[in-house]
Every structure is written in structure tokens, then in C-alpha cells.
Amino acid sequence: MSDSRAQDAASDLGSGSRRRTWTELLAGRVKRQLHGPGREHKLQESAVRLLRRHLNLNDLLLEVEGPACKTLCLHQLVDPEASADLSSSLIGSALRDQASRLGVPVAVLSSRTVASSIVQICASSGEPSHRVLLNAEQRKKLSSLLEVAQYLLAHSMFSRSSFCEELWEVQDSLLLEAVWHLHVQNIVSLQELLESRADTQATVAWLFRDLCLLCEQMEASTLHTEIARAMLSDFVQLFVLRGFEKNSDLRSVEPAHMAQLSAAVLQRMLIFALEALTTGLQDSSPAYRAVKSCS
């Protein structure tokens, strides 16, 4: 073992059970490695992997930059009242500075930050988890967040592909309405998001479950009827257009990924509607009322 490695080991042993910070780990790795072709790129990839695996982005940024980072960045993205005096350009500048300190592309950090903020907004209502619609407070917060995301997109500081990947990682924490607003506000389209996931079966199951819940919640309350109908219309329109789209490439044997997904969702929704209508004629079941309200 070299003298430098022995010193590192002794330092680790002497620190007892204290956990080394992100900055210490990153600095130690840089010191131990010789600079060479591609070394910086590999280090950046490692930083991105650590960033994506970190469960609490707030804690990570707080550790790297201190309390000022949290005050200037994530808190403002989630809370529109707190960000009233901050422009999107200032938030973008803060994200760029943080990305530089972390050694990751700003587009990756911005995508991760926006995805994390959307999850926090979706979980902020305190209502039962089996929902697909936002409340008024959540819509206000999401609208503020998407304004920042649009600025980041316009200034090449946001990666749609990374953002889609991050959203699928937290799929179970998302509300369907939040996904729809991403489409309406041109952050990422429904088709782009759905096509970014290779697991068609899991995506179909998620869509079918949430669309059924959308119909049920639309029937149960008149407060969100307009938004719910707009959501349902956009999803169904996409599935019909892509599910019955003729394949222009005659050399292709397998149907396109989006066509498969769309046809599968439509088939499951049709079976659900027929079964609900059949049983509902006798007992006026909730599923029957939900289907009637969406028809």
C-alpha cells in the first residue's frame, strides 16, 4: 500500500463512525486519480449516478452549498409565494452554479430538481393517496414551477430525456393531472413521456388504473369536471390517433411502441366500460356511474 493510501486509510479509521460528506468523497477521489484523457468525463458520469441515487435532493444540495442553496433554489421552486420576488433567470443562475459545484450538467440537475419538486407538490395535499386530480393549491404551485421549467427549456438548461427518466422513477408518487399539465404547458408531451419507457405492460397498467380513477373522481365531484374532461379527451385522442395509425414503413413487421401501448389501453378501457355497464344495469355500481359520467 502506498504512503498516500495508508494515510487515507488511517484517516478513515481515525474518523470512527463519522460519515464522510459528498465534498470529501469527491475531493478524495480526485486527489487519488491521475489526470488523463476521459478522466473528467468518467468523474462527471459518477457524479450524475450518485445524484440520481440520492433519495433527498434537498439534503444533498444543502450539504454542498449550505443553507443559502436551499433558500435560493428548491424552496422557491415548490412554493410560489416564496418565489414571488425571484425571477426564473435568478433560479436558473442558482441551478447553474450548483451544477458547476457538483460537477454535473446543469440540464441533468435542473431536470432532477423539477421532477423532485413535482413529487413534493403531488404529495402536499394530505388527502387520500388514491387520487389523480390536483387541488387548487397544488395547481397554483405547479403553475409556478412549470414557468421556471419553461425558462430552463428555452435556455437549454433542461433535458427532456433526463426528466422523463426521473418521472418514471417516481411514477407512483405522481398525479395524472400533473402529467397532463406537463403536456399542456409544452414541457414534455404525453407521447414523448410514454414512449420514453420501455416497459409497455407496466405503463399500460398505470394508465388504465389512473384513467379509471379519473372517471370515478369526475363522477364523485363537480369541482374538477372541466379539467377532468379535458384530460380524458386529450388522452383518448392520443390513444385513438396512435392506436389506429397506419404503419408508413412497410418493412417494419412489429407495430410501433406507441401504437402497441395505445391499443392496449383502449382495449382495457373498453372491456372495463362494457363490464361496468353490464353489471350497472342491475345494481348501479360506482364503476357504472363513473363510466356513464365519462361517456
Side-chain angles (χ1 to χ4, degrees):
M1 178 183 294
S2 66
D3 293 341
S4 61
R5 291 186 179 180
Q7 291 175 358
D8 288 341
S11 175
D12 288 343
L13 291 173
S15 62
S17 59
R18 185 180 72 84
R19 294 175 59 189
R20 299 177 70 186
T21 67
W22 162 280
T23 305
E24 289 173 336
L25 288 170
L26 198 57
R29 180 180 176 86
V30 172
K31 289 178 181 178
R32 285 194 297 268
Q33 291 182 342
L34 296 175
H35 292 286
R39 182 68 66 187
E40 182 178 352
H41 178 68
K42 290 181 180 179
L43 183 60
Q44 188 179 76
E45 288 183 341
S46 298
V48 171
R49 284 196 297 270
L50 284 171
L51 176 64
R52 286 178 172 169
R53 290 175 182 175
H54 202 288
L55 297 179
N56 193 321
L57 185 60
N58 289 27
D59 290 347
L60 175 59
L61 294 176
L62 195 60
E63 181 177 320
V64 174
E65 292 236 355
C69 167
K70 186 175 182 180
T71 301
L72 285 175
C73 226
L74 283 187
H75 186 56
Q76 279 74 15
L77 287 175
V78 177
D79 190 346
E81 287 80 13
S83 64
D85 298 328
L86 293 178
S87 65
S88 295
S89 61
L90 180 59
I91 295 175
S93 177
L95 284 168
R96 193 186 297 278
D97 289 344
Q98 291 166 358
S100 177
R101 285 169 171 77
L102 287 168
V104 299
V106 64
V108 173
L109 179 60
S110 297
S111 303
R112 178 69 176 86
T113 303
V114 173
S116 176
S117 299
I118 289 176
V119 170
Q120 292 181 53
I121 291 172
C122 289
S124 64
S125 70
E127 298 175 11
S129 58
H130 299 295
R131 298 178 303 113
V132 293
L133 297 173
L134 302 167
N135 59 33
E137 177 79 10
Q138 289 172 310
R139 289 192 188 105
K140 183 179 180 181
K141 290 182 178 182
L142 184 63
S143 177
S144 177
L145 173 63
L146 296 188
E147 287 181 8
V148 176
Q150 287 173 333
Y151 172 87
L152 296 173
L153 267 171
H155 291 80
S156 302
M157 297 169 61
F158 190 88
S159 168
R160 283 189 171 94
S161 59
S162 294
F163 182 62
C164 290
E165 182 179 345
E166 296 293 345
L167 287 184
W168 287 124
E169 288 291 329
V170 294
Q171 160 197 325
D172 292 335
S173 301
L174 290 176
L175 298 184
L176 191 64
E177 185 183 339
V179 173
W180 176 72
H181 281 294
L182 293 172
H183 169 78
V184 173
Q185 297 299 321
N186 297 316
I187 305 301
V188 60
S189 70
L190 291 174
Q191 179 166 342
E192 184 177 2
L193 177 62
L194 296 176
E195 285 184 327
S196 67
R197 193 183 193 190
D199 191 343
T200 302
Q201 186 175 359
T203 306
V204 169
W206 172 70
L207 283 167
F208 172 69
R209 180 201 65 189
D210 279 14
L211 289 172
C212 289
L213 287 172
L214 176 64
C215 291
E216 292 176 8
Q217 291 171 29
M218 185 166 63
E219 188 275 335
S221 173
T222 58
L223 295 176
H224 312 288
T225 300
E226 185 175 346
I227 290 179
R229 288 194 180 279
M231 289 172 58
L232 189 62
S233 175
D234 284 348
F235 275 102
V236 171
Q237 183 179 20
L238 172 65
F239 296 148
V240 171
L241 287 175
R242 296 293 173 259
F244 296 96
E245 189 175 43
K246 291 184 178 180
N247 191 355
S248 59
D249 187 358
L250 299 179
R251 296 169 299 177
S252 177
V253 178
E254 294 294 332
H257 173 69
M258 191 63 198
Q260 287 181 311
L261 186 150
S262 300
V265 173
L266 289 174
Q267 183 179 35
R268 293 191 64 171
M269 290 298 295
L270 178 59
I271 293 173
F272 168 77
L274 291 175
E275 290 179 347
L277 291 173
T278 300
T279 58
L281 292 175
Q282 300 174 353
D283 58 13
S284 296
S285 64
Y288 169 76
R289 294 194 300 272
V291 171
K292 289 290 289 183
S293 70
C294 292
S295 60

